[in-house]
Amino acid sequence: MEASSWDALRKQARRLEAQLDDQMSAYRKLISMKSDGSENDIESDIERSLKQLQQVNSQMQTWVSSGGSEVLSHTLTRHMEILQDLTQEFYRLRSSLRAKQQHASLLDLRDFDRAKFDVDEGADSSDQALLKEQAAINRSTGQMDNVISQAQATLGTLMLQRSTFGGITTKISNVSSRLPTINQILSSIKRKKSMDTIILSLVASVCAFLIFIYWMSK
């Protein structure tokens, strides 16, 4: 690969990060306003940009794994952190919007119940109980969505980190025969990689469990 390829990837990553900042700003403004359905378009745009940035980071990851310097590795780590922050912020904002929409829906239902109560006072006791139950379910669902979203973002970051350590381990193995002292460093990295594997497995298990609970609660 030529140096210009790395520069092009960095330029593309910075462009996507700036684009996501603008999209997030528009999304925040939308949340503060009354929902008109346009949030679906913005959410689709943000998800598309996040996916593109993930792909660019993966290409940069391949560059670093194939022999990039420590400076390039630090640069990649920074871009990975930015992606994680943007992803978590998007999930947080989306959960907030969903909670707001559910709250508005419950208010509309409550207004309907009040109108019905004016017509027939004896008919709304069961509706009130149903409204409370629905509110509790909606709160639980919103909280579960937020937890799952954060777990998915963390899982993606751990997978990228695991891939990074794999590439570094391969490069160190190539020179360990000439530099015996590298063996100690290699052992430490292998232990770190094993720990990351355990953490990744635990996060994946928690995600699967939360998704199962989420679907059971519906």
Side-chain angles (χ1 to χ4, degrees), residues 81-94:
E81 291 172 348
I82 292 174
L83 174 60
Q84 182 182 13
D85 291 342
L86 289 170
T87 301
Q88 291 180 342
E89 177 67 4
F90 170 59
Y91 287 146
R92 185 189 67 79
L93 291 173
R94 187 172 63 179

Side-chain angles (χ1 to χ4, degrees), residues 9-218:
L9 288 173
R10 284 206 62 193
K11 183 178 180 180
Q12 187 176 359
R14 289 194 296 266
R15 179 183 62 80
L16 287 169
E17 289 164 359
Q19 178 176 302
L20 279 163
D21 283 336
D22 293 338
Q23 291 172 334
M24 289 291 190
S25 178
Y27 195 44
R28 292 188 191 94
K29 292 179 181 179
L30 182 63
I31 293 176
S32 64
M33 301 166 59
K34 185 176 181 180
S35 177
D36 59 359
S38 61
E39 64 273 5
N40 293 331
D41 294 334
I42 296 182
E43 287 175 0
S44 297
D45 291 340
I46 293 176
E47 288 176 340
R48 188 181 304 107
S49 296
L50 286 173
K51 184 177 181 180
Q52 291 174 351
L53 183 56
Q54 173 74 54
Q55 292 172 345
V56 172
N57 281 358
S58 296
Q59 294 175 13
M60 295 172 72
Q61 160 74 48
T62 301
W63 175 286
V64 171
S65 298
S66 64
S69 66
E70 184 177 354
V71 174
L72 300 187
S73 180
H74 285 313
T75 300
L76 172 62
T77 299
R78 179 54 186 156
H79 284 293
M80 290 169 57
E81 291 172 348
I82 292 174
L83 174 60
Q84 182 182 13
D85 291 342
L86 289 170
T87 301
Q88 291 180 342
E89 177 67 4
F90 170 59
Y91 287 146
R92 185 189 67 79
L93 291 173
R94 187 172 63 179
S95 296
S96 176
L97 178 59
R98 294 293 182 270
K100 179 181 177 181
Q101 292 172 335
Q102 291 169 357
H103 179 68
S105 177
L106 289 174
L107 288 178
D108 291 341
L109 180 59
R110 186 178 64 181
D111 292 340
F112 174 79
D113 280 346
R114 285 178 177 176
K116 185 178 180 181
F117 180 81
D118 293 337
V119 176
D120 186 2
E121 293 182 355
D124 73 335
S125 58
S126 60
D127 291 338
Q128 289 293 335
L130 181 61
L131 177 62
K132 292 180 180 179
E133 181 180 356
Q134 181 66 37
I137 292 175
N138 287 336
R139 285 195 299 269
S140 299
T141 301
Q143 293 172 354
M144 185 65 68
D145 285 339
N146 191 29
V147 171
I148 291 175
S149 297
Q150 292 179 358
Q152 289 174 335
T154 302
L155 178 61
T157 300
L158 286 174
M159 292 179 67
L160 271 177
Q161 290 178 349
R162 181 184 181 187
S163 178
T164 299
F165 278 115
I168 293 175
T169 301
T170 300
K171 290 190 292 183
I172 293 179
S173 296
N174 293 334
V175 299
S176 61
S177 59
R178 290 175 294 174
L179 300 175
T181 57
I182 294 297
N183 289 328
Q184 295 180 353
I185 300 176
L186 180 59
S187 298
S188 299
I189 292 177
K190 287 182 177 179
R191 287 195 297 271
K192 173 64 175 176
K193 182 179 178 182
S194 298
M195 182 61 66
D196 285 347
T197 301
I198 294 174
I199 294 175
L200 180 60
S201 299
L202 290 174
V203 171
S205 299
V206 170
C207 287
F209 177 74
L210 291 176
I211 293 172
F212 174 76
I213 295 299
Y214 170 73
W215 284 110
M216 290 293 292
S217 66
K218 282 193 170 184

